[in-house]
Amino acid sequence: MPIMRAAFASRLDDDNPLAALTVGERPEPVHPDADWVTVQVRASSLNHHDLWSLRGVGLTEAQLPMILGCDAVGLDPDGNEVVVYPVVPTPGDPRGVSILSEHFPGTLAERVAVPRANLVPLPEGLSLTDAACLPTAWLTAWRMLTTKGRVEDGDAVLVQGAGGGVATAAVALAVAMGKRVYATSRDAAKRDRIAALGATAVEPGARLPERVDVVIETVGAATFDHSLKSAAPMARIVVSGATAGHLPTVNLRRVFAMQLEILGTSMGTPGELYDLLAFCAERQVRPVVDSVVPFSKVDEAFARLHGGEAFGKIVLDHTA
């Protein structure tokens, strides 16, 4: 059987997810349907979703071994440079869809199989490194701001926990849209980097000089009360994660008195990915890249992500 090099979950370990990571040989991609194609991966990027997978969130022992990774850019069968949209139809999943590396092998490999409809042309002006950052974290941030947050109707945005992939993307995108952006971080060095992106960086829980129209919330219980207090009347609080607790206390009187909207979201559509790519190319918005790591050192990349040291995206160069 033809084989390729890949990074995959060989077991599940909630306490030490890095111990569940294996880098080795896996079979070449198979096509579940006639409309699937194989992409030669040139670059990919890591997400916290990969660490959660190693912990066993969204994966079961019966699904192992599972190649990790959601993001990729590479060459289609005709040699065209494409960005891979990572959401695939999955009839057996209650959502009707899944993200690559949940039911179907992911992108941290030499090759990945996806439906042909999941291939979005790489626009001129975007490098492989930049494009590899966009399909998961940046697409989620784009949908949070636009489709869900309706940021075009507002002037001010609060991003909780900037430094992570989605939050940092939201800062960069909102600044490029001309919004007044406030962003929180516990880390002083990260606050300096947030400020360099054009946002006003503040400590978690700090009183803002104004109430905001959109709150980007990926932290959860640790910041949700601050999100509520910082929201202007009829503001949108958009939630796509809960890295610091998923059971916050919610002051419902504030919700109805201020007519707040609390909206959940995840990922985005192929059309939204196309719009995001076009926006980044036209506005010369570039993802915040923490580091570019050769695929041969993917274990070191995972260790950096797990250690919480990264600011922005960790990209894997599959050509090195």
Side-chain angles (χ1 to χ4, degrees):
M1 179 180 294
I3 56 175
M4 63 179 180
R5 189 165 178 80
F8 54 94
S10 55
R11 61 188 181 91
L12 307 176
D13 193 326
D14 189 31
D15 295 326
N16 184 13
L18 297 183
L21 174 69
T22 298
V23 181
E25 295 179 340
R26 293 298 302 148
E28 290 279 347
V30 297
H31 296 172
D33 211 331
D35 67 336
W36 284 55
V37 297
T38 296
V39 174
Q40 300 281 337
V41 179
R42 290 292 178 263
S44 63
S45 67
L46 298 186
N47 294 282
H48 282 281
H49 181 275
D50 302 314
L51 289 176
W52 287 113
S53 295
L54 292 168
R55 290 187 171 102
V57 178
L59 282 182
T60 65
E61 294 283 353
Q63 293 169 280
L64 302 179
M66 176 62 74
I67 297 175
L68 301 169
C70 309
D71 294 339
V73 60
L75 302 178
D76 71 8
D78 300 318
N80 301 306
E81 292 183 329
V82 294
V83 182
V84 175
Y85 174 65
V87 180
V88 294
T90 311
D93 190 286
R95 301 166 295 178
V97 297
S98 66
I99 303 173
L100 290 175
S101 75
E102 292 181 341
H103 292 280
F104 298 98
T107 59
L108 301 188
E110 294 179 63
R111 285 166 287 281
V112 63
V114 295
R116 185 177 288 276
N118 285 50
L119 304 183
V120 180
L122 177 69
E124 290 186 12
L126 278 182
S127 69
L128 297 180
T129 295
D130 290 337
C133 300
L134 302 180
T136 300
W138 277 67
L139 177 58
T140 299
W142 175 262
R143 181 176 174 83
M144 292 178 80
L145 287 166
T146 58
T147 307
K148 293 289 188 175
R150 307 191 303 279
V151 72
E152 70 276 6
D153 297 333
D155 299 311
V157 176
L158 168 63
V159 180
Q160 297 283 17
V166 174
T168 304
V171 170
L173 288 169
V175 168
M177 294 171 181
K179 307 302 176 181
R180 294 188 298 276
V181 182
Y182 304 93
T184 67
S185 177
R186 294 175 298 174
D187 188 298
K190 289 184 178 180
R191 289 198 297 273
D192 289 341
R193 297 190 68 174
I194 291 165
L197 295 176
T200 299
V202 299
E203 294 185 5
R207 185 181 181 89
L208 304 182
E210 61 178 319
R211 295 185 186 275
V212 301
D213 307 294
V214 179
V215 180
I216 301 299
E217 177 64 79
T218 62
V219 179
T223 58
F224 208 80
D225 187 60
H226 181 242
S227 294
L228 290 169
K229 291 178 179 177
S230 302
M234 294 183 285
R236 283 76 66 194
I237 301 174
V238 189
V239 184
S240 72
T243 57
H246 66 285
L247 295 173
T249 299
V250 178
N251 184 341
L252 292 179
R253 287 181 292 185
R254 183 178 294 273
V255 173
F256 64 74
M258 298 288 281
Q259 300 187 60
L260 304 179
E261 296 180 48
I262 300 174
L263 305 163
T265 192
S266 177
M267 297 297 294
T269 67
E272 287 166 336
L273 178 56
Y274 180 91
D275 291 342
L276 169 62
L277 291 166
F279 181 87
C280 290
E282 293 168 5
R283 302 287 186 94
Q284 297 188 340
V285 179
R286 297 296 178 263
V288 180
V289 176
D290 173 82
S291 52
V292 179
V293 180
F295 188 73
S296 58
K297 298 182 178 180
V298 63
D299 53 339
E300 295 180 14
F302 267 88
R304 181 168 179 80
L305 180 66
H306 183 251
E309 303 169 354
F311 183 90
K313 297 288 289 180
I314 299 173
V315 178
L316 297 172
D317 180 356
H318 288 237
T319 68

